[in-house]
C-alpha cells in the first residue's frame, strides 16, 4: 500500500499484518501512549470493532478513493457492518456541521500469540509484543453493544475470505467451539448452532446464527456439520444417541469431527456416517481458547479429501493453517502425540518452578532466564505467568489434557511403544484432579506439587 499524508480525523483503510484492509479513522492517541520511536505511523480506530492500533503509513489508504475497490474484494458480514458504521458516522458528522464531539477512553490489551507485522508495539516489554487498544467507554455515554463474541476482532479482521455458499452446522459451544463459531459468523458463513446447554446459543443467535433444536435437525438443515465436544463418549453420544447426528445424515451430507478423541472412536464414527451415505472428515485442532478466539488454530484433517476442500473457507476463518494427513485416524493420532508432548512439558515446567522455590531460587528469575533461552515461547510465558499470579482460569482444561495423555498412553500400548514420560506426567495430572483442579487451566498441575 502506498504512503499517504494523513491528518487526525481522516477516514482510512488500515491493514493489520497479513489481514486485508479494514475501515478506520485516524485519531489522537491517549496522552500516556507515546508514538513508537523511528516509526512513521498513525493511531487508527477501526469501525465495527473496539480496536485501535498504531499502523505504519505504508499500510494506510484514504477511505473514499478506495471504497469501491475494497467493497468488491471484501464480502464478510462484519466487514459490511463496519462499512455501514462509516456511512452512519459520515451522516451524523454532516448533520453536526462537520464537527465531531465524541471522545474516547482506552485500555490496553496484550495480544501475545499472533504475529501482526503491521501493528507497531506500543511498549518494549518482551512479554507483551503487540498491543491493541480497546474503547471501553464513550465519555458521553456507555456503549451497550454486546462484546462477548468480538474476541477475534483484534486479530482476525479478514473480510477478504469468500465464505462458502454451503450451509454450516456446528455442535458444541465450549471453550474451543465458541471461538470457532464466532469466526465463522464474522467471516460471513451461514451457521446453525446447537449446544446441550441451549443458553450458550443465545449470544450466537444475536450475531446472526440460526438455532437447531437437536443434532439431527442441524445435520438435516446443513450441508457441512462440525462438532467439537469434550471426549470420546461425548462424541459417540452426539452421533449415536437419541436425536443424534446419525438420524439426520443423508447421502452427500458432510460431518466433520473436531473433538480430540482416540483413533478407534474416529474410525467408528467414520464408518457409521459412511454407512448412511455421509461424507466424513476428522479435523481436531491444536490451540487453546485464546487461540480459538483469535482465529489462529492449527487444523489437522484426515479422511475425505473432497470434504477437506469444501471446508476451505471455514478453515481459513478459524485457523492460521491446516494439514491434510491422509486416511481417517491419522489426525487423531497426530493430535494425541502433540497434546502428549504439551501436557508432559507443562508438568515439567511446574516441576521446575516448584524445585526452584524449594531450593531457595527466585521463580521470577527462573522465568526470566527461561524466556531468554532456547525454550522461550508464548506457551511457556503465559503458563508461568498464570502460575506466578495464581490465575488458573481455563484456557485449556486440565481434565482434557489429562484425558489426552491417557489416550496417548493407550495408543502407545496398542503400538507396543513405551511412553514412560507421558505416564509419569499423567500421574501428576491425576493428582491435580484429585485436588479438585479438573475445571481449571492445565497450568494448575502446579498445585499437585505444592499440596
Amino acid at each position: 500500500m502506498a504512503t499517504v499524508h494523513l491528518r487526525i480525523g481522516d477516514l482510512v483503510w488500515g491493514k493489520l499484518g497479513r489481514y486485508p484492509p479494514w475501515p478506520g479513522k485516524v485519531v489522537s492517541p491517549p496522552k500516556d501512549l507515546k508514538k513508537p520511536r523511528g516509526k512513521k505511523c498513525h493511531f487508527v480506530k477501526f469501525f465495527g470493532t473496539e480496536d485501535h492500533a498504531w499502523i505504519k503509513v505504508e499500510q494506510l489508504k484514504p477511505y473514499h478513493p478506495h471504497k469501491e475497490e475494497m467493497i468488491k474484494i471484501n464480502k464478510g458480514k462484519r466487514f459490511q457492518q463496519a462499512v455501514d458504521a462509516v456511512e452512519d458516522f459520515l451522516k451524523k458528522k454532516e448533520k453536526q456541521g462537520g464537527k465531531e464531539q465524541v471522545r474516547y477512553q482506552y485500555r490496553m490489551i496484550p495480544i501475545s500469540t499472533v504475529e501482526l507485522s503491521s501493528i507497531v508495539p506500543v511498549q518494549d516489554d518482551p512479554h507483551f509484543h503487540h498491543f491493541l487498544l480497546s474503547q471501553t467507554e464513550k465519555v458521553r455515554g456507555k456503549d451497550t453493544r454486546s462484546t462477548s463474541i468480538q474476541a477475534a476482532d483484534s486479530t482476525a479482521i479478514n473480510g477478504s475470505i469468500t465464505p462458502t455458499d454451503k450451509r454450516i452446522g456446528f455442535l458444541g459451544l465450549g471453550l474451543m467451539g465458541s471461538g470457532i463459531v464466532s469466526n465463522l459468523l464474522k467471516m460471513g458463513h451461514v451457521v446453525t448452532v446447537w449446544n446441550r446447554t441451549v443458553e450458550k446459543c443465545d449470544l450466537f443467535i444475536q450475531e446472526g446464527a440460526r438455532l437447531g433444536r437437536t443434532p439431527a435437525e442441524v445435520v438435516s438443515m446443513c450441508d457441512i456439520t462440525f462438532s467439537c465436544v469434550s471426549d470420546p463418549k461425548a462424541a459417540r453420544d452426539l452421533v449415536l444417541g437419541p436425536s443424534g447426528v446419525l438420524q439426520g445424515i443423508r447421502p452427500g451430507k458432510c460431518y466433520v469431527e473436531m473433538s480430540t478423541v482416540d483413533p478407534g472412536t474416529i474410525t467408528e464414527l467414520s464408518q457409521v456416517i459412511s454407512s448412511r451415505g455421509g461424507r466424513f472428515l476428522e479435523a481436531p485442532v491444536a490451540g487453546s481458547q485464546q487461540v480459538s478466539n483469535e482465529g489462529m488454530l492449527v487444523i489437522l484433517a484426515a479422511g475425505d479429501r473432497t470434504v477437506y476442500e469444501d471446508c476451505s473457507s471455514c478453515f481459513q476463518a478459524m485457523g492460521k493453517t491446516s494439514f491434510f494427513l491422509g486416511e481417517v485416524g491419522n489426525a487423531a493420532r497426530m493430535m494425541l502425540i502433540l497434546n502428549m508432548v504439551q501436557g508432559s512439558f507443562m508438568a515439567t515446567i511446574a516441576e521446575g518452578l516448584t524445585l526452584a522455590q524449594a531450593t531457595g531460587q527466585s521463580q521470577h528469575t527462573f522465568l526470566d532466564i527461561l524466556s531468554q533461552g532456547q525454550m522461550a515461547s508464548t506457551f511457556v510465558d503465559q503458563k508461568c505467568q498464570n502460575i506466578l499470579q495464581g490465575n488458573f482460569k481455563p484456557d485449556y482444561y486440565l481434565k482434557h489434557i489429562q484425558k489426552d495423555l491417557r489416550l496417548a498412553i493407550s495408543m502407545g500400548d496398542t503400538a507396543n511403544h513405551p511412553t514412560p514420560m507421558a505416564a509419569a506426567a499423567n500421574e501428576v495430572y491425576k493428582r491435580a484432579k484429585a485436588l479438585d483442579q479438573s475445571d481449571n487451566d492445565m497450568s494448575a498441575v502446579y498445585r499437585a506439587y505444592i499440596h
Side-chain angles (χ1 to χ4, degrees), residues 121-191:
V122 297
Q123 74 176 52
D124 295 326
D125 185 336
H127 299 309
F128 298 97
H129 297 291
H130 300 295
F131 284 80
L132 294 177
L133 298 169
S134 278
Q135 168 193 355
T136 57
E137 181 182 347
K138 290 184 179 179
V139 172
R140 69 178 185 186
K142 297 220 181 231
D143 186 345
T144 57
R145 293 173 301 165
S146 168
T147 60
S148 298
I149 310 183
Q150 296 180 356
D153 284 347
S154 61
T155 58
I157 298 176
N158 202 343
S160 66
I161 290 177
T162 301
T164 178
D165 58 3
K166 296 183 183 298
R167 295 163 297 178
I168 304 301
F170 205 95
L171 312 175
L173 301 174
L175 290 184
M176 306 294 280
S178 293
I180 292 171
V181 171
S182 287
N183 283 308
L184 289 172
L185 290 169
K186 179 175 176 294
M187 301 310 170
H189 295 84
V190 177
V191 185

Side-chain angles (χ1 to χ4, degrees), residues 230-232 260 336 339-344 346-347 396-410 422-434 437-445 448:
S230 59
D231 56 31
T260 301
L336 289 178
N339 282 1
M340 177 190 76
V341 172
Q342 180 173 248
S344 300
M346 181 68 253
Y396 195 98
Y397 284 118
L398 184 143
K399 62 185 176 184
H400 289 170
I401 200 69
Q402 190 273 321
K403 174 262 298 181
D404 296 342
L405 281 163
R406 173 174 55 81
L407 294 177
I409 293 166
S410 177
N426 187 46
E427 292 304 314
V428 182
Y429 282 98
K430 285 165 64 177
R431 172 160 172 74
K433 287 178 66 176
Q437 301 301 310
S438 290
D439 292 326
N440 281 334
D441 185 69
M442 69 164 74
S443 54
V445 69

Side-chain angles (χ1 to χ4, degrees), residues 110-408:
I111 304 297
S112 54
T113 60
V114 187
E115 293 183 0
L116 298 177
S117 59
S118 297
I119 296 179
V120 180
V122 297
Q123 74 176 52
D124 295 326
D125 185 336
H127 299 309
F128 298 97
H129 297 291
H130 300 295
F131 284 80
L132 294 177
L133 298 169
S134 278
Q135 168 193 355
T136 57
E137 181 182 347
K138 290 184 179 179
V139 172
R140 69 178 185 186
K142 297 220 181 231
D143 186 345
T144 57
R145 293 173 301 165
S146 168
T147 60
S148 298
I149 310 183
Q150 296 180 356
D153 284 347
S154 61
T155 58
I157 298 176
N158 202 343
S160 66
I161 290 177
T162 301
T164 178
D165 58 3
K166 296 183 183 298
R167 295 163 297 178
I168 304 301
F170 205 95
L171 312 175
L173 301 174
L175 290 184
M176 306 294 280
S178 293
I180 292 171
V181 171
S182 287
N183 283 308
L184 289 172
L185 290 169
K186 179 175 176 294
M187 301 310 170
H189 295 84
V190 177
V191 185
T192 300
V193 296
W194 174 90
N195 192 71
R196 185 175 54 185
T197 307
V198 71
E199 289 78 14
K200 285 190 176 182
C201 297
D202 292 344
L203 288 172
F204 300 97
I205 303 304
Q206 293 173 19
E207 290 291 313
R210 302 170 183 177
L211 178 65
R213 292 175 295 180
T214 66
E217 182 177 86
V218 173
V219 173
S220 66
M221 292 169 58
C222 298
D223 302 304
I224 304 173
T225 300
F226 296 85
S227 71
C228 188
V229 293
S230 59
D231 56 31
K233 181 180 185 304
R236 285 194 184 94
D237 290 347
L238 198 60
V239 174
L240 304 172
S243 300
V245 166
L246 199 58
Q247 295 184 24
I249 289 290
R250 300 289 183 273
K253 294 283 188 181
C254 301
Y255 188 64
V256 182
E257 180 58 80
M258 305 192 79
S259 312
T260 301
V261 298
D262 58 285
T265 296
I266 280 293
T267 300
E268 177 187 356
L269 296 181
S270 174
Q271 290 172 347
V272 297
I273 295 296
S274 299
S275 71
R276 297 290 180 90
R279 300 158 61 204
F280 184 85
L281 184 76
E282 59 168 327
V285 293
S288 61
Q289 181 184 32
Q290 180 179 340
V291 175
S292 176
N293 288 343
E294 292 169 347
M296 298 296 286
L297 294 166
V298 175
I299 300 140
L300 311 181
D304 190 323
R305 180 68 187 243
T306 63
V307 179
Y308 175 72
E309 293 168 354
D310 286 344
C311 291
S312 176
S313 73
C314 297
F315 289 158
Q316 288 179 56
M318 67 180 75
K320 66 178 179 180
T321 190
S322 63
F323 295 84
F324 185 77
L325 302 178
E327 66 181 20
V328 166
N330 283 345
R333 295 181 184 95
M334 186 67 78
M335 191 74 253
L336 289 178
I337 294 168
L338 289 170
N339 282 1
M340 177 190 76
V341 172
Q342 180 173 248
S344 300
F345 186 40
M346 181 68 253
T348 301
I349 292 170
E351 191 169 294
L353 280 166
T354 52
L355 182 59
Q357 186 177 45
T359 57
Q361 305 304 303
S362 165
Q363 291 180 323
H364 288 87
T365 301
F366 170 77
L367 173 57
D368 289 341
I369 296 170
L370 200 61
S371 66
Q372 296 298 318
Q374 292 181 323
M375 290 185 291
S377 68
T378 298
F379 177 82
V380 169
D381 181 54
Q382 287 183 334
K383 297 308 180 186
C384 286
Q385 292 291 351
N386 287 352
I387 291 170
L388 296 179
Q389 295 168 13
N391 173 21
F392 299 108
K393 180 181 177 181
D395 195 40
Y396 195 98
Y397 284 118
L398 184 143
K399 62 185 176 184
H400 289 170
I401 200 69
Q402 190 273 321
K403 174 262 298 181
D404 296 342
L405 281 163
R406 173 174 55 81
L407 294 177

